[in-house]
Amino acid sequence: LWRRLADAIDLNRWHQPSPGVNVCESPLVRHLPGLVSRDVCRWMIEHARPRLTRALVYDAVEDKSTANQTRTNTVALFNVTNSDLVSVLIQVQICANTGTSFRQLEPLSVLHYDIGEQIIEHFDFVDPDAPTFDQQVAEYGQRRITFLLYLNDDYTGGETELPKIGISHKGQLGGGFFFVNILGNDVPDLRTLHAARPPIRGEKWVVSQWIRSRATF
């Protein structure tokens, strides 16, 4: 049985990039419709739901994470101890579509937004004002890419917005969306300011994957 199940998985497909379209050339913002199936989305939602916790905000100056009204959603982390084949295959697809190595990935997370929950405008790159900035970049590189995979679309509102370049993206079930946070030489790109707007009807589920500019392990 296990051999038949293994043979039924087309690993080569997961290693191939999917058709997509550039929403913006600079900074690069790319949309990948139909990246994964409905079944994959359902699996991720149901495995994330029981482990949701309040999402925290990292304070670069204080070097600590706390609950803050700037981010009111919940999150489930899929790290080395609780990842499964489905979450790893998603990461393989992310690498194929961004031209990056699996070793550049931070732990994958699933974000959940109930009605009214949001993340206000922020950046994802490592803050150059952080006391540990030089050490972080030397060890792991900058946070180069933010990749989102939308696990459902039966909600109203909840757009991913990049206000400085005029993009407001309403994700579709199974669709990927990513943007590059830095310029050359790991310099932060301030045009990548972005926000997760609150749903006004229904709940929103999305995979979030950060990718560093060098290997993290």
Side-chain angles (χ1 to χ4, degrees):
L1 173 61
W2 289 109
R3 173 61 62 185
R4 291 200 304 271
L5 288 172
D7 290 343
I9 299 173
D10 183 2
L11 289 177
N12 184 62
R13 185 193 76 78
W14 291 90
H15 285 275
Q16 301 303 314
S18 298
V21 59
N22 288 353
V23 182
C24 181
E25 298 289 341
S26 181
L28 178 60
V29 182
R30 188 163 173 80
H31 172 46
L32 301 157
L35 191 63
V36 302
S37 69
R38 181 179 298 273
D39 287 339
V40 168
C41 293
R42 185 183 300 115
W43 176 277
M44 292 302 296
I45 290 173
E46 294 311 314
H47 283 72
R49 191 186 300 276
R51 54 174 104 151
L52 290 172
T53 60
R54 172 68 187 272
L56 303 178
V57 175
Y58 177 67
D59 186 322
V61 176
E62 297 293 330
D63 192 23
K64 64 180 181 181
S65 297
T66 59
N68 191 289
Q69 285 303 304
T70 61
R71 184 180 188 184
T72 55
N73 67 299
T74 51
V75 59
L77 189 66
F78 286 73
N79 57 27
V80 68
T81 63
N82 57 23
S83 294
D84 58 29
L85 178 61
V86 176
S87 64
V88 170
L89 287 176
I90 288 173
Q91 290 180 304
V92 169
Q93 262 286 274
I94 289 172
C95 290
N97 282 282
T98 56
T100 52
S101 162
F102 198 92
R103 296 183 64 196
Q104 293 173 244
L105 304 183
E106 294 189 32
L108 177 149
S109 59
V110 173
L111 310 181
H112 173 257
Y113 300 86
D114 215 335
I115 293 174
E117 295 179 347
Q118 64 177 326
I119 309 176
I120 68 168
E121 286 85 353
H122 64 287
F123 298 106
D124 282 346
F125 52 72
V126 181
D127 188 347
D129 293 330
T132 59
F133 173 78
D134 291 336
Q135 178 184 352
Q136 282 197 56
V137 172
E139 292 182 359
Y140 306 116
Q142 255 289 9
R143 190 172 278 159
R144 178 170 173 253
I145 296 173
T146 296
F147 196 108
L148 302 175
L149 171 66
Y150 299 89
L151 301 178
N152 73 315
D153 54 16
D154 52 342
Y155 56 89
T156 303
E159 296 86 358
T160 302
E161 186 173 351
L162 289 89
K164 289 195 173 184
I165 53 177
I167 292 176
S168 182
H169 182 72
K170 174 66 162 61
Q172 298 175 332
L173 185 149
F177 180 79
F178 74 86
F179 50 92
V180 178
N181 294 303
I182 57 176
L183 303 167
N185 299 319
D186 286 353
V187 176
D189 190 337
L190 299 181
R191 297 173 298 175
T192 60
L193 182 77
H194 61 284
R197 301 304 183 196
I200 59 175
R201 182 189 62 82
E203 57 181 347
K204 172 185 173 183
W205 294 87
V206 59
V207 165
S208 175
Q209 176 68 68
W210 287 322
I211 305 174
R212 295 277 183 156
S213 58
R214 57 180 298 179
T216 62
F217 62 92

